[in-house]
Amino acid sequence: MTLLSIDELKTLVANPETPCISLYMPMQKAGPEIRQNPIRFKNLIREAEERLDAIGIRHTEALNLLKPATELDQDDFWEHQDQGLVIFISPNLFRYYCLPIEFSELVVVGEQFHLKPLLHLINNDGSFYVLALSQKDVKLFAGTAHSLNEVQVENIPHRLAETLLEDELQKGVQHRIGTPRGATASAQHPGSVHGQGSPDREKHEEDILQFCYAIDTALHEKLREEKAPLVLAGVEYLFPIYQEANTYPHLLAESINGNPEIINLEQLHDEAWRIVAPSFQEEKKAAIELYQQFAGEDNGKATSDIKEIIPAAYYQRVDSLFVSVDEQKWGKFDSETSSVDLHAEPEPDDEDMLDCAAVHTLLNGGRVYTLESQEMPHGATAAAIFRY
């Protein structure tokens, strides 16, 4: 099973072969109700077969296409589930995700995967990072309101001792580590020998600072296009040292105090979410108020017309999008003519136009707020603030 991330979303969007099959189902995790899971799964597979038949796919071809999914139907698979199961299938791609949110049952067969229900987990409205920092281990985690998963960072140093040893091997054992960014000549003299000219404590803090610079350099490559907040987790004396080295503009002032080597993942997530959640709620509230202001002024900077929003999202005009996560608007979008056809009931090859708007807004650098229908401004199914 692949972890869900913005990069994984891009892989799903870039999938070049059709048909694209998206299956969503709620899961029972315990009790006698778990017997419903394979039954519900078989019903979704049968519905997918019917949808493939409706668009002219031969039955044997449909069965072969769905085979990777049907092979999941084993006892040990159903024993390791979360609240929701999502499966994506195309001729050249198969992915499934066991996720910590419940989904309504849904089967979509079209030219693109149906991704909108996932945006609660991976969009800008609720994503953050945690840097677990200690002298013996460094880890980066990507989090949402529902989950926290470790992510790999190329070239990130993991242990202070290894970083110092590598530096000494590069520069020669007789020389001090080079002056870090921001250090002054009086603080460190090039060519001085380890342990000479400074107390052990100052020397150790300088070593940690150099370690933090190396961490920041690796994170800069990983997070250079990110806007998500970053929370530090570690023992308190490390925080001001890392903050001195940090260049990521979205590092938060409040940190998680404690040894991250003994904090379990659930506790780390809960503490981080406590820190970041208020800013997300304020940001969402401010964005809705701005939309309502622009809509009231009728200045062309905001609209709830889905036929205007779809091409604007595709051509990078949408700055912020509010979309109803529990509704669909079925239809087709022609990017060559910028036309949108909506249908009261889904037709073969239809896409959810709300899904189309959300995915293209996100991929083009806009913010997407997935809301329950009762939260949507002015009762719309979609609402957008334009960049221009």
Side-chain angles (χ1 to χ4, degrees):
M1 183 183 68
T2 309
L3 291 176
L4 195 59
S5 65
I6 188 67
D7 289 336
E8 182 69 5
L9 178 73
K10 291 177 180 178
T11 298
L12 295 169
V13 171
N15 175 62
E17 292 194 39
T18 59
C20 296
I21 304 160
S22 307
L23 307 176
Y24 289 82
M25 62 178 285
M27 299 298 296
Q28 300 295 328
K29 295 178 64 177
E33 293 84 3
I34 62 173
R35 292 194 293 268
Q36 299 176 17
N37 294 335
I39 297 172
R40 191 177 275 136
F41 178 75
K42 289 181 174 68
N43 291 337
L44 288 181
I45 293 293
R46 191 176 303 113
E47 184 177 345
E49 291 177 15
E50 294 171 356
R51 297 284 182 91
L52 290 167
D53 180 66
I55 61 173
I57 303 295
R58 291 182 303 166
H59 188 65
T60 54
E61 185 180 345
L63 292 179
N64 286 333
L65 192 58
L66 294 168
K67 187 177 179 180
T70 57
E71 289 178 342
L72 295 175
D73 189 9
Q74 306 289 334
D75 288 343
D76 60 343
F77 177 73
W78 299 116
E79 290 171 1
H80 300 89
Q81 291 298 320
D82 211 317
Q83 292 177 261
L85 174 65
V86 184
I87 301 174
F88 297 115
I89 313 165
S90 75
N92 67 327
L93 185 146
F94 173 68
R95 296 280 201 281
Y96 73 91
Y97 310 89
C98 303
L99 298 172
I101 58 173
E102 185 173 307
F103 302 104
S104 299
E105 287 188 24
L106 183 64
V107 177
V108 180
V109 176
E111 295 184 359
Q112 293 286 337
F113 291 122
H114 183 75
L115 302 172
K116 176 164 61 71
L118 301 180
L119 298 185
H120 259 328
L121 289 170
I122 58 178
N123 64 14
N124 288 328
D125 179 21
S127 62
F128 62 92
Y129 290 99
V130 176
L131 179 62
L133 185 64
S134 78
Q135 296 180 47
K136 295 182 179 180
D137 196 16
V138 176
K139 292 180 179 179
L140 181 69
F141 297 89
T144 69
H146 308 278
S147 64
L148 191 68
N149 296 295
E150 185 178 356
V151 294
Q152 299 302 312
V153 181
E154 188 175 353
N155 297 324
I156 194 167
H158 292 283
R159 297 173 66 89
L160 173 62
E162 292 173 358
T163 302
L164 297 179
L165 178 60
E166 180 181 346
D167 195 82
E168 288 181 348
L169 290 173
Q170 289 177 352
K171 297 184 179 182
V173 179
Q174 297 301 312
H175 292 81
R176 291 186 63 92
I177 295 171
T179 305
R181 292 169 291 174
T184 63
S186 60
Q188 195 173 71
H189 300 284
S192 58
V193 178
H194 277 296
Q196 293 183 0
S198 64
D200 288 345
R201 181 179 180 130
E202 289 183 15
K203 163 66 174 58
H204 186 58
E205 289 182 355
E206 290 170 4
D207 289 344
I208 295 174
L209 180 59
Q210 188 71 20
F211 181 50
C212 291
Y213 279 127
I215 296 168
D216 177 73
T217 299
L219 286 186
H220 180 77
E221 293 302 312
K222 182 72 175 179
L223 305 180
R224 59 168 52 187
E225 296 180 3
E226 294 285 344
K227 298 179 181 178
L230 173 65
V231 179
L232 285 182
V235 292
E236 191 172 4
Y237 79 89
L238 291 175
F239 298 152
I241 301 175
Y242 187 83
Q243 288 163 353
E244 182 178 345
N246 173 69
T247 59
Y248 184 65
H250 308 290
L251 176 67
L252 299 185
E254 186 175 356
S255 303
I256 301 169
N257 188 19
N259 185 349
E261 297 173 37
I262 61 175
I263 298 175
N264 66 49
L265 199 61
E266 182 178 354
Q267 182 183 356
L268 192 63
H269 172 267
D270 291 347
E271 284 295 306
W273 183 247
R274 177 188 61 77
I275 292 170
V276 302
S279 63
F280 290 131
Q281 293 302 319
E282 286 300 315
E283 180 183 291
K284 181 191 297 184
K285 180 181 177 183
I288 291 175
E289 290 175 352
L290 183 62
Y291 168 80
Q292 291 171 332
Q293 176 189 331
F294 286 165
E297 294 172 354
D298 195 22
N299 56 14
K301 294 182 179 180
T303 186
S304 59
D305 183 350
I306 191 66
K307 291 189 174 182
E308 187 178 356
I309 291 172
I310 296 293
Y314 186 84
Y315 292 110
Q316 305 181 32
R317 281 188 62 209
V318 175
D319 177 76
S320 298
L321 177 71
F322 310 90
V323 64
S324 176
V325 73
D326 51 353
E327 298 180 83
Q328 291 85 38
K329 284 286 187 181
W330 300 107
K332 291 183 174 66
F333 169 57
D334 187 332
S335 59
E336 294 185 0
T337 62
S338 295
S339 61
V340 178
D341 292 325
L342 299 177
H343 307 135
E345 296 294 330
E347 298 181 1
D349 283 337
D350 267 6
E351 288 183 70
D352 176 13
M353 293 291 94
L354 303 182
D355 182 78
C356 179
V359 169
H360 285 294
T361 297
L362 192 62
L363 294 180
N364 289 328
R367 290 193 175 275
V368 178
Y369 300 93
T370 45
L371 308 176
E372 303 296 331
S373 55
Q374 64 270 20
E375 297 179 288
M376 288 293 296
H378 301 165
T381 54
I385 299 173
F386 295 140
R387 291 188 170 113
Y388 55 89

